[in-house]
Amino acid sequence: MFIGVPREIKNHEYRVGLTPGGVKELVLDGHQVLVECGAGAGIGLADADYATAGAELVADAREIYARCELIIKVKEPQAHEYDQLKPDQVIFTYLHLAPDLAQTQGLLASGCTAIAYETVTDHKGGLPLLAPMSEVAGRMAIQAGAHCLEKAQGGRGVLLGGVPGVSPARVLVLGGGVVGVNAARMAMGLGADVTLVDSSLTRLKELDALYGPNLKTLYSTVDNIERELVRSELVIGAVLIAGAAAPKLVTKAQLALMPRGAVLVDVAIDQGGCFETSRVTTHQDPTYEVDGIVHYCVANMPGAVAYTSTFALINATLPYVKALANLGWKTAMQNDPLFAQGLNVHQGQVICPAVAEAHGLSHTPLQQVLAAG
């Protein structure tokens, strides 16, 4: 199979879809891998490293889209990328289609088969290809939030961990999944006063048993969230419904409850954000202010720590990439129904129900696609 790795072009995105080690694995399996020149340069992976691993280096991504059967990326294709996709071509990357009608329509029009990292599941009901970046993003959310709390950044001027004689910052984490737990761990490690909110009592009991009195837990209700907003200087939005648009847990009106200069970090922004006032920002211009509250809504947070993120991601994705290459996408998914949950778009049809619901589109059942000759 011809497998292509284009250079990422999203703002300040330095990750890459395959490392030289991943290329070597695929070449040893008999595949030909095309890598765009400079694809790994942002994290110190030289073109020579890829060549040594057996890749064919190409100067222009258009050649990759023209020649390759399988495209491996990190971030969702931008408009002029999905315009180059074609039928009988497979793209495997983060897609986040629920809040992105334009990309959804572009993929449908291309006729390609689009498989999303973020909706592949495992036997425990987890999201194994989203989890590594959720770990990174959760930890980064505290770093970013602490920086935004500095007065020079527009924040309240509060040190996250406080000092002797001065209280630490109060941090509210909305969501007890991978992002939320990693954010809470980082915040507790820095000495903050941390409260985590979730709608699962089972999850809250697990976290209480794990962290004890260091982590306060609350059941998710509007009343509980509003009470915490009054006292919170940093709020982390860490809510996820797999493949679907994120629910809005903080409204514009509720910003008035918060201390001026408080910070919202919306890690759910890839799925539309969980604050009503959220809008996508970039690493180049990461924040904006609404009613005296600083918003940090960077859609590719892990891209800022691209070296760590790339290797963490490929540790998780490489077995799936090898399955696609060695078996073909349909056989790979017939063999692994949990992998099949990653299929979002195929030959002009929406396969993922959550994406179809988000955009008011019809969807084709997954089993119908896998059973087709």
Side-chain angles (χ1 to χ4, degrees), residues 22 28 30 36 49 61 81 94 126-127 130 145 188 201 219 222 246 259 271 276-277 306 309 319-320 338-339 351 367:
L28 289 173
E36 184 179 358
D49 298 329
E81 292 179 306
Y94 288 117
L127 302 170
L130 186 61
M188 287 187 290
L201 283 175
Y219 185 72
V222 173
Q271 294 294 136
E276 184 182 9
T277 46
S309 296
Y320 295 89
L338 299 175
F339 185 16
I351 312 304
Q367 292 309 315

Side-chain angles (χ1 to χ4, degrees), residues 253-264:
Q254 288 170 332
L255 298 184
L257 300 172
M258 301 181 68
R260 300 304 87 184
V263 175
L264 300 179

Side-chain angles (χ1 to χ4, degrees), residues 99-368:
D100 192 345
L101 178 59
Q103 186 199 170
T104 302
Q105 292 173 329
L107 294 175
L108 291 171
S110 75
C112 76
T113 296
I115 305 168
Y117 293 158
E118 72 271 11
T119 58
V120 173
T121 61
D122 62 24
H123 68 280
K124 296 180 180 178
L127 302 170
L129 305 189
L130 186 61
M133 297 304 93
S134 295
E135 292 166 351
V136 171
R139 296 179 184 208
M140 278 195 68
I142 298 303
Q143 290 183 193
H147 181 61
C148 292
L149 276 171
E150 296 173 12
K151 193 66 178 177
Q153 308 306 318
R156 188 167 170 78
V158 174
L159 181 65
L160 207 62
V163 291
V166 182
S167 297
R170 291 172 289 270
V171 177
L172 173 63
V173 179
L174 301 176
V178 177
V179 171
V181 169
N182 277 272
R185 283 185 58 194
M186 286 291 285
M188 287 187 290
L190 290 171
D193 179 350
V194 185
T195 299
L196 184 145
V197 172
D198 198 272
S199 60
S200 167
L201 283 175
T202 299
R203 184 58 171 160
L204 294 177
K205 289 175 183 177
E206 292 172 349
L207 295 176
D208 182 73
L210 188 61
Y211 295 110
N214 293 323
L215 177 64
K216 303 176 183 68
T217 59
L218 280 176
Y219 185 72
S220 182
T221 66
V222 173
D223 189 52
N224 278 341
I225 291 173
E226 287 186 342
R227 288 181 186 177
E228 290 303 310
L229 289 176
V230 171
R231 63 189 294 273
S232 296
E233 282 118 349
L234 174 59
V235 180
I236 307 297
V239 179
L240 173 70
I241 301 174
K248 301 294 188 281
L249 296 186
V250 177
T251 67
K252 186 177 189 300
Q254 288 170 332
L255 298 184
L257 300 172
M258 301 181 68
R260 300 304 87 184
V263 175
L264 300 179
V265 177
D266 198 339
V267 188
I269 193 65
D270 273 333
Q271 294 294 136
C274 60
F275 308 132
E276 184 182 9
T277 46
S278 292
R279 57 177 172 80
V280 174
T281 62
T282 67
H283 289 294
Q284 184 174 333
D285 188 16
T287 63
Y288 60 93
E289 187 177 308
V290 178
D291 297 343
I293 306 301
V294 178
H295 291 57
Y296 180 100
C297 304
V298 175
N300 61 328
M301 288 177 62
V305 288
Y307 186 92
T308 298
S309 296
T310 293
F311 282 89
L313 177 61
I314 291 169
N315 287 343
T317 59
L318 186 58
Y320 295 89
V321 173
K322 293 184 70 172
L324 290 172
N326 293 338
L327 302 173
W329 73 269
K330 183 174 285 189
T331 301
M333 291 188 170
Q334 288 169 337
N335 290 350
D336 185 351
L338 299 175
F339 185 16
Q341 298 302 311
L343 187 61
N344 276 215
V345 170
H346 172 65
Q347 293 185 346
Q349 307 163 87
V350 177
I351 312 304
C352 177
V355 173
E357 182 180 353
H359 299 306
L361 301 171
S362 60
H363 89 280
T364 301
L366 174 62
Q367 292 309 315
Q368 180 180 320

Side-chain angles (χ1 to χ4, degrees), residues 22-35:
V23 169
K24 182 181 287 189
E25 293 284 326
L26 293 166
V27 170
L28 289 173
D29 283 348
H31 305 292
Q32 189 161 350
V33 183
L34 279 64
V35 177

Side-chain angles (χ1 to χ4, degrees), residues 34-74:
L34 279 64
V35 177
E36 184 179 358
C37 292
I43 57 171
L45 300 177
D47 290 345
D49 298 329
Y50 283 99
T52 300
E56 176 186 347
L57 294 166
V58 298
D60 195 321
R62 286 176 294 186
E63 185 174 351
I64 288 174
Y65 287 101
R67 293 176 56 193
C68 293
E69 303 154 80
L70 173 61
I71 307 294
I72 306 298
K73 280 178 47 62
V74 178

